[in-house]
Amino acid sequence: MAVIKRRVKKTDLSHLTSGVKQLAAQELLSEARRKGISTVPLDIERLIKSFGIKVKIVPMDDEVSGHLSLSDGVWEIAVNALHHPKRQRFTLAHELGHYVLHRWQCQRFEDTKLFRNNESNPMEVQANDYAANLLMPEVEFKEYIRTVSKNIDSIADHFKVSAYAVRVRAKNLGFGGHGL
Ligand SMILES: [Zn+2]
C-alpha cells in the first residue's frame, strides 16, 4: 500500500528529471550491463546508486517496507533494515520502479506491504511488476527453469528473491500448478 503525499504538478519537477527517462525494465537492465553491473542476480543497490539516487538501509516499523522520496532536489530510496535481505531487494526494485515510472507524479511514495491480495492502486501494481521484471528477467527466468531447475527454492536463490516472489512471477509468465 502506498500513501501518496504532496502531490505536485508535473511542471514543478521538470528541472529535476535528468538521469533515467521512463525506461522499460529491459532497457534498464541493458544499461546496467553497459555499466558493468551484475544483472543475475541483479546488483540492485549499485544500479540505483548509478543514477545518483541515495540508498538508505535503516530500521523501520515492521509494517513499513520502504519509501522513495525527494528532498532538497535529491531522490532517496530507503528500505527497512530489519526485513529479510531478499525482501529488501524487492523493495529496492519496487521503489526504483516508482522512480522510473512515477516520479513525475509525486515526491514521496511510502510503502507498507508490497504484496497484497486485490491490490488496486495501479501505481503499486506497476511498481511490483517492474520490480519482478528487473529481478527476474523473463528470458533468464524461463531459461533457468528449462535448463537448470524447476524447484522454487532453487530459483529463489538464483535470483536472490523470496519464494513468494518466484511463485507470483511464475504465475504471471504462465506457469501453472503448485510446482513449476
Ligand atoms: Zn509502492
Side-chain angles (χ1 to χ4, degrees):
M1 188 179 75
V3 178
I4 297 164
K5 297 172 184 168
R6 296 173 67 194
R7 212 167 251 288
V8 290
K9 288 179 186 168
K10 229 179 200 177
T11 48
D12 294 340
L13 289 174
S14 57
H15 61 297
L16 298 166
T17 53
S18 58
V20 273
K21 295 193 289 287
Q22 187 167 324
L23 294 177
Q26 284 204 351
E27 294 173 77
L28 209 60
L29 289 173
S30 299
E31 199 149 323
R33 282 184 209 103
R34 277 198 298 277
K35 291 176 176 177
I37 297 171
S38 155
T39 53
V40 178
L42 177 62
D43 190 341
I44 182 68
E45 195 173 331
R46 206 176 141 205
L47 179 61
I48 290 170
K49 286 178 176 169
S50 78
F51 294 116
I53 303 166
K54 277 204 288 188
V55 175
K56 272 190 185 170
I57 301 172
V58 289
M60 300 174 186
D61 289 344
D62 188 54
E63 71 272 16
V64 179
S65 294
H67 67 247
L68 166 72
S69 62
L70 178 65
S71 173
D72 294 329
V74 179
W75 284 98
E76 171 190 290
I77 287 175
V79 292
N80 193 341
L82 304 179
H83 284 172
H84 191 283
K86 285 177 175 172
R87 184 167 168 194
Q88 289 181 33
R89 282 170 52 75
F90 197 90
T91 303
L92 286 167
H94 175 102
E95 302 302 342
L96 182 58
H98 279 314
Y99 175 79
V100 173
L101 303 171
H102 310 131
R103 72 183 186 278
W104 334 93
Q105 295 170 47
C106 75
Q107 294 182 326
R108 186 174 177 91
F109 299 83
E110 187 89 36
D111 282 294
T112 50
K113 289 186 175 161
L114 296 184
F115 280 118
R116 294 191 314 154
N117 289 330
N118 307 318
E119 176 63 76
S120 57
N121 181 327
M123 288 202 290
E124 293 315 309
V125 174
Q126 286 167 9
N128 276 342
D129 196 47
Y130 203 88
N133 274 281
L134 275 182
L135 296 172
M136 296 168 278
E138 180 173 353
V139 171
E140 286 85 350
F141 190 84
K142 287 180 171 172
E143 182 75 1
Y144 188 83
I145 289 170
R146 193 175 64 80
T147 61
V148 184
S149 175
K150 293 178 169 59
N151 180 277
I152 287 175
D153 291 331
S154 164
I155 300 166
D157 281 344
H158 182 67
F159 292 95
K160 288 197 165 54
V161 294
S162 69
Y164 185 74
V166 170
R167 285 180 196 279
V168 172
R169 182 67 167 146
K171 193 179 164 205
N172 288 339
L173 289 175
F175 295 94
H178 294 294
L180 293 181

